Amino acid sequence: MPTTSSPIYRAASAADVPAIVALVESAYRGESGQRGWTTETHLLDGQRTDAANVEDIIGRDGSMVLLAERDGLLVGCCHVEQRGNHGYFGMFAISPELQMAGLGRALLAEAERIAREQWQLAAMRMSVIEQRAELIAWYERRGYRLTGETGAFPYGQPRFGIPRRDDLRFVYMSKSLQEVTA
């Protein structure tokens, strides 16, 4: 599936929901997720998202699912949402076959640009499972810092996955968008 064309970015519509769910599941769960480095299969079983969740995100005011397409194929997505004076970044997925090729970095930069330029937001925030040290380090290399805040993992809610261990929790990261240069 490798391609060399630059990604095209656009906001998702309801028609994109099945492809988004398939991409997110392929990047985080099951056998296909193990081909990329973003897999959570060592931490969680079950689903990562579902059609109802993605439809809700797309339909909310101040919220969008940003898509990255190459040669007409969906290769990446993320959720970006306005929350007060900051943006929230989540549901970040890159096709496992294309991970480590710079597409994730480019999609994150596009999400930050939208939050900064279109929504005039001062910062971007996100939550990451604390046990995902390699992912936390990846975000730190992109200017995100741990805030010191933590949050409980939603145990007992299988729509977020079925935990394989009992010590999961979220850590929060933030990045000032004022420091970003074009």
Side-chain angles (χ1 to χ4, degrees):
M1 184 182 212
T3 63
T4 57
S5 65
S6 296
I8 304 289
Y9 301 107
R10 68 175 178 87
S13 70
D16 297 307
V17 170
I20 294 166
V21 171
L23 174 64
V24 171
E25 293 300 312
S26 76
Y28 288 95
R29 300 287 197 275
E31 193 174 309
S32 64
Q34 293 176 10
R35 290 186 300 227
W37 71 274
T38 61
T39 186
E40 294 174 341
T41 57
H42 61 295
L43 300 173
L44 298 159
D45 287 320
Q47 68 184 27
R48 176 67 156 75
T49 194
D50 59 26
N53 181 47
V54 175
E55 288 169 358
D56 175 60
I57 291 169
I58 290 172
R60 281 197 303 244
D61 287 340
S63 175
M64 73 181 305
V65 174
L66 179 63
L67 305 181
E69 297 175 325
R70 276 191 176 161
D71 302 326
L73 298 173
L74 178 62
V75 295
C77 70
C78 64
H79 171 215
V80 187
E81 184 169 9
Q82 298 176 53
R83 295 187 179 173
N85 70 342
H86 71 273
Y88 178 79
F89 180 82
M91 202 175 69
F92 187 30
I94 301 297
S95 176
E97 296 84 13
L98 297 174
Q99 291 178 12
M100 298 186 63
L103 184 58
R105 186 174 335 157
L107 182 57
L108 176 60
E110 179 65 10
E112 292 170 351
R113 186 196 66 75
I114 289 169
R116 182 181 64 254
E117 294 177 12
Q118 292 183 16
W119 297 343
Q120 287 81 47
L121 299 176
M124 187 77 86
R125 291 178 49 95
M126 67 179 69
S127 59
V128 180
I129 296 174
E130 181 178 42
Q131 288 76 7
R132 301 288 317 277
E134 73 288 347
L135 185 57
I136 292 168
W138 188 86
Y139 284 122
E140 287 177 329
R141 289 191 300 273
R142 270 127 209 106
Y144 286 82
R145 298 292 170 247
L146 291 165
T147 67
E149 301 167 79
T150 61
F153 186 85
Y155 284 94
Q157 298 180 38
R159 71 175 284 250
F160 297 106
I162 301 166
R164 298 181 71 153
R165 44 194 289 179
D166 62 4
D167 63 342
L168 300 179
R169 71 177 182 170
F170 292 109
V171 293
Y172 294 92
M173 302 186 80
S174 183
K175 176 181 180 176
S176 171
L177 297 179
Q178 309 296 323
E179 301 166 6
V180 177
T181 58

